[in-house]
């Protein structure tokens, strides 16, 4: 049964002429052309010409003529039409006292505008078009607006809004049936059984899989990340990552998935199969997309957390080092002053120094000054080593579960990822001799290589190499150099563009909506003709010798006069 979804104010907007019309719409729909003037001359009486001119503008603007249009004419429309006809809006009440006259005039107007009336048979071609648009976006008010626009483009005088509301309102069941039909190859008996099972209680989790997948992580810890990765592995057990749901539009998938999230298990179980299974399919697919995005966000946030912790440790180290350096420099400077003192003989030197400064105190001073000369400890990257064990609690699972893809591989980072996965998951204990190092930035050199330089004979250190690779992974996920196949936030940039096949299907409809030809060369030819038509009056204007003029083929534009300062 068709549902009525418009409220009273929405219905009135479709049934009445708007109280105010924009200047752009006035120029586009209520401008009387030379051809219109010729057509209006065929009618006797100034009041008839005024009424017909107004009806022409309203039909062009709305694709519909309200019953009481004479009482609904906006002031700016009346002024626009009357100024072009040199008429007065007070003559409008004289128009169309006989219903037969009004009907006859409307028929003539529709013939002139090449419009036709709506016929019940039009529903036959409109329904497939509406179904296809509904699969893209099933919001009923939006669909109704699209139907009105489509009828206007086809030059069909639309029927009452109640008729179109009934057609759009009956679309919901058709959409579910069409979605089921498109997913029929995926909905095998085995798949239906497994989909039914996610609505049943799971004894290991003491919750249904459906509600478990709906839960959102509330913390950003290694344990929470591993629990989120467990959801991805569960979805992969359904082979969700191999499904091709391109036949279902993004908006439709998100709409059905949202239904699954907002209702209970019992409600889904009571649905008929035509509705339930497509909803669950879209729910699982969208859950995989959202969970992939969520776990990568958690990894990004956790990395930011340990970077902040490393910076704090560096600050503490530098403050402690500064205090210790003062004492160490004082000790060493006084020791040097004893050494260069000529009154202290060589055989008395060590005894004299150790009497003032014990050997342990001198060793500590040397250690402090030596620490200040070590560049590795003067960067927060050094302190990331303190978080290595914590990272290993989830990074092997992350690298094993997420299918990372490299958009640009000039520096061999794809091989770096493969080595990182092998080391993190325990398949490899040490770095290979030919491990790629081109991705290592200068700030990481001092940590990855012992002497702060990259040389063929010097192998990188394993733990800093892993940390450097994880840092690069995070940065490249942010920049899009690394992407995930099933994702929204971390997807391949090319996936956001229309494919050539999709564009060919949408080209005609899109071009008709913006009133442009579907072939680009036709539009270029139109613009060239418009340019040629404008050049002649421009040439006459320039030759008239006004301020802006042509002198020996050169365009002369005089300076603007300065404004007087008040």
């Amino acid at each position: 049964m068709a549902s009525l979804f418009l409220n009273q104010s929405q219905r009135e907007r479709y049934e009445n002429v708007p109280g105010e019309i924009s200047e752009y719409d006035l120029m586009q729909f209520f401008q009387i052309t030379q051809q219109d003037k010729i057509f209006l001359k065929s009618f006797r009486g100034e009041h008839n010409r005024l009424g017909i001119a107004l009806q022409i503008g309203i039909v062009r603007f709305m694709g519909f003529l309200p019953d009481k249009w004479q009482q609904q004419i906006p002031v700016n429309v009346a002024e626009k039409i009357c100024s072009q006809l040199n008429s007065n809006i007070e003559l409008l009440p004289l128009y169309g006292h006989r219903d037969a006259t009004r009907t006859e005039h409307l028929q003539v107007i529709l013939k002139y505008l090449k419009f036709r009336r709506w016929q019940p048979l039009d529903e036959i071609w409109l329904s497939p078009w509406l179904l296809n648009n509904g699969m893209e976006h099933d919001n009923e008010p939006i669909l109704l607006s699209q139907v009105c626009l489509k009828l206007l483009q086809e030059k069909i005088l639309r029927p009452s809004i109640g008729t179109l509301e009934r057609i759009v309102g009956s679309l919901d069941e058709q959409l579910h049936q069409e979605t089921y039909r498109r997913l029929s190859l995926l909905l095998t008996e085995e798949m239906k059984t497994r989909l039914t099972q996610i609505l049943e209680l799971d004894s290991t989790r003491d919750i249904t899989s459906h509600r478990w997948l709906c839960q959102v992580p509330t913390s950003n810890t290694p344990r929470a990340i591993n629990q989120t990765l467990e959801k991805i592995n569960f979805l992969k057990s359904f082979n969700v990552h191999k499904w091709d749901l391109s036949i279902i539009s993004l908006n439709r998938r998100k709409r059905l998935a949202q239904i699954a999230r907002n209702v209970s298990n019992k409600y889904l179980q009571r649905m008929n199969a035509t509705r339930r299974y497509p909803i669950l399919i879209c729910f699982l697919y969208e859950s995989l997309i959202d969970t992939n995005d969520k776990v990568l966000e958690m990894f990004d946030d956790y990395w930011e957390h340990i970077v902040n912790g490393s910076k704090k440790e560096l600050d503490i180290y530098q403050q402690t080092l500064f205090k210790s350096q003062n004492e160490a420099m004082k000790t060493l400077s006084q020791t040097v002053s004893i050494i260069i003192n000529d009154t202290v003989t060589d055989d008395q030197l060590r005894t004299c120094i150790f009497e003032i400064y014990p050997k342990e105190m001198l060793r500590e001073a040397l250690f402090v000054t030596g620490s200040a000369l070590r560049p590795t400890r003067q960067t927060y990257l050094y302190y990331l080593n303190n978080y290595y064990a914590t990272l290993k609690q989830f990074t092997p699972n992350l690298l094993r579960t997420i299918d990372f893809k490299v958009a640009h591989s000039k520096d061999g980072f794809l091989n770096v990822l493969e080595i990182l996965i092998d080391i993190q998951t325990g398949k490899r204990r040490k770095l290979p001799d030919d491990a790629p190092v081109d991705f290592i930035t200068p700030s990481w050199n001092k940590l990855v290589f012992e002497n702060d330089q990259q040389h063929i004979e010097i192998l990188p250190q394993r733990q800093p190499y892993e940390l450097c690779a994880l840092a690069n992974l995070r940065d490249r996920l942010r920049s899009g150099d690394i992407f995930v196949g099933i994702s929204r936030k971390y997807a391949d940039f090319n996936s956001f563009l229309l494919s050539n096949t999709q564009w060919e299907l949408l080209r005609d409809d899109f071009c008709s909506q913006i009133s442009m030809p579907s072939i680009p060369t036709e539009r270029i030819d139109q613009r060239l003709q418009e340019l040629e038509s404008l050049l002649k009056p421009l040439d006459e204007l320039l030759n008239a010798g006004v301020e802006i003029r042509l002198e020996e083929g050169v365009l002369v534009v005089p300076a603007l006069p300065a404004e007087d300062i008040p």
Side-chain angles (χ1 to χ4, degrees), residues 307-318:
V307 165
N308 291 334
S310 299
K311 290 179 179 179
K312 289 180 181 179
E313 292 185 30
L314 175 61
D315 290 340
I316 294 172
Y317 167 75
Q318 289 177 337

Side-chain angles (χ1 to χ4, degrees), residues 190-233:
E190 179 185 359
M191 179 57 68
K192 291 179 181 179
T193 303
R194 297 195 66 184
L195 291 174
T196 303
Q197 289 174 350
I198 72 172
L199 300 176
E200 299 171 354
L201 185 66
D202 187 341
S203 57
T204 59
R205 301 188 184 93
D206 200 25
I207 190 175
T208 63
S209 299
H210 165 241
R211 296 318 308 172
W212 174 61
L213 290 171
C214 291
Q215 292 177 347
V216 179
T218 57
S219 61
N220 188 29
T221 61
R223 181 182 177 185
I225 294 175
N226 282 324
Q227 289 174 345
T228 308
L229 290 169
E230 183 184 352
K231 293 181 182 180
I232 297 177
N233 288 323

